[in-house]
Amino acid sequence: KLETLLHQLFPKARVLRADSDTLDRPEKMRELLRTMEERRADILVGTQTVALGLDLPQVTLAGVLVADVGLSLPHFRASERVFQLLTQLAGRSGRRKPGEVLIQTFRPASPEIVAAAEHRTKDYMEAELAMRATLGYPPATDMIRFIIRCASPNIRAKKLHQDLQMLIDAKKIIASVMSAPTLFGLGKIWHVLLRGTRIRELLPKLDVSDTVIDVDPVDCI
């Protein structure tokens, strides 16, 4: 939709698109970079791929649409990821000459948006770490994700959850069980999340021979 609108608003502009459809092979990325470096394109529109590490010295304007969409994800790292993405996008503009960054958002007062827009990385990190410590999330605590794929993953996950409840001090360690959303629908994979201190000591006491153990998981949904 955005690509169509850009063609309508700037009919003479040469528009490139960068996403999983157009960059399906490594050489496509190299070709895109050459096209931008040789100034054979005027506008580059794409997904998060655009923000991650591209060195485009001629770019002086960068924009992000619906910057706050990631804040709606039920993940304790949602705020961190939005801040990181916006900060990376800001780095694409003005690398060799003065540049601007435009951020479209429905939550202009959210700490992540404000800190990224004002380049206040230290302030954001201190506030986020303090919140994680208060709520008991990494890096203030450890986390282990047990990924269960079997004939009856719901039954196995609930059994593992019960085993954990018998082992842990509920005041210091939290265990939760959930069905994980997948491309094949709910119910195919189940997760059990364990959060607290010294939780690795529990692993030898558990029957996890049929379970994938993800220590310090980057994702937990």
Side-chain angles (χ1 to χ4, degrees), residues 115-162:
E118 297 178 356
H119 304 288
R120 292 194 283 108
T121 302
K122 183 179 179 181
D123 291 344
Y124 171 77
M125 290 177 61
E126 290 176 350
E128 181 68 11
L129 285 171
M131 182 180 295
R132 300 266 188 98
T134 300
L135 298 177
Y137 278 99
T141 60
D142 297 319
M143 181 177 282
I144 296 176
R145 177 176 62 154
F146 300 91
I147 306 171
I148 300 169
R149 305 181 181 93
C150 60
S152 300
N154 57 328
I155 296 174
R156 180 68 182 92
K158 291 174 182 177
K159 175 63 168 60
L160 176 58
H161 184 256
Q162 291 173 356

Side-chain angles (χ1 to χ4, degrees), residues 43-160:
I43 301 173
L44 175 62
V45 57
T47 55
Q48 297 182 21
T49 306
V50 175
L52 303 178
L54 297 183
D55 184 10
L56 304 172
Q58 300 301 325
V59 172
T60 55
L61 175 64
V64 57
L65 301 182
V66 198
D68 47 63
V69 65
L71 296 178
S72 299
L73 294 175
H75 198 297
F76 74 92
R77 287 196 175 96
S79 168
E80 173 190 351
R81 288 172 173 173
V82 168
F83 175 79
Q84 184 182 52
L85 182 61
L86 292 178
T87 301
Q88 288 175 325
L89 180 75
R92 300 313 105 207
S93 174
R95 295 176 72 85
R96 304 284 177 85
K97 57 184 72 173
E100 292 181 293
V101 180
L102 302 179
I103 299 175
Q104 181 204 33
T105 175
F106 293 100
R107 308 179 197 182
S110 66
E112 305 82 3
I113 305 294
V114 173
E118 297 178 356
H119 304 288
R120 292 194 283 108
T121 302
K122 183 179 179 181
D123 291 344
Y124 171 77
M125 290 177 61
E126 290 176 350
E128 181 68 11
L129 285 171
M131 182 180 295
R132 300 266 188 98
T134 300
L135 298 177
Y137 278 99
T141 60
D142 297 319
M143 181 177 282
I144 296 176
R145 177 176 62 154
F146 300 91
I147 306 171
I148 300 169
R149 305 181 181 93
C150 60
S152 300
N154 57 328
I155 296 174
R156 180 68 182 92
K158 291 174 182 177
K159 175 63 168 60
L160 176 58

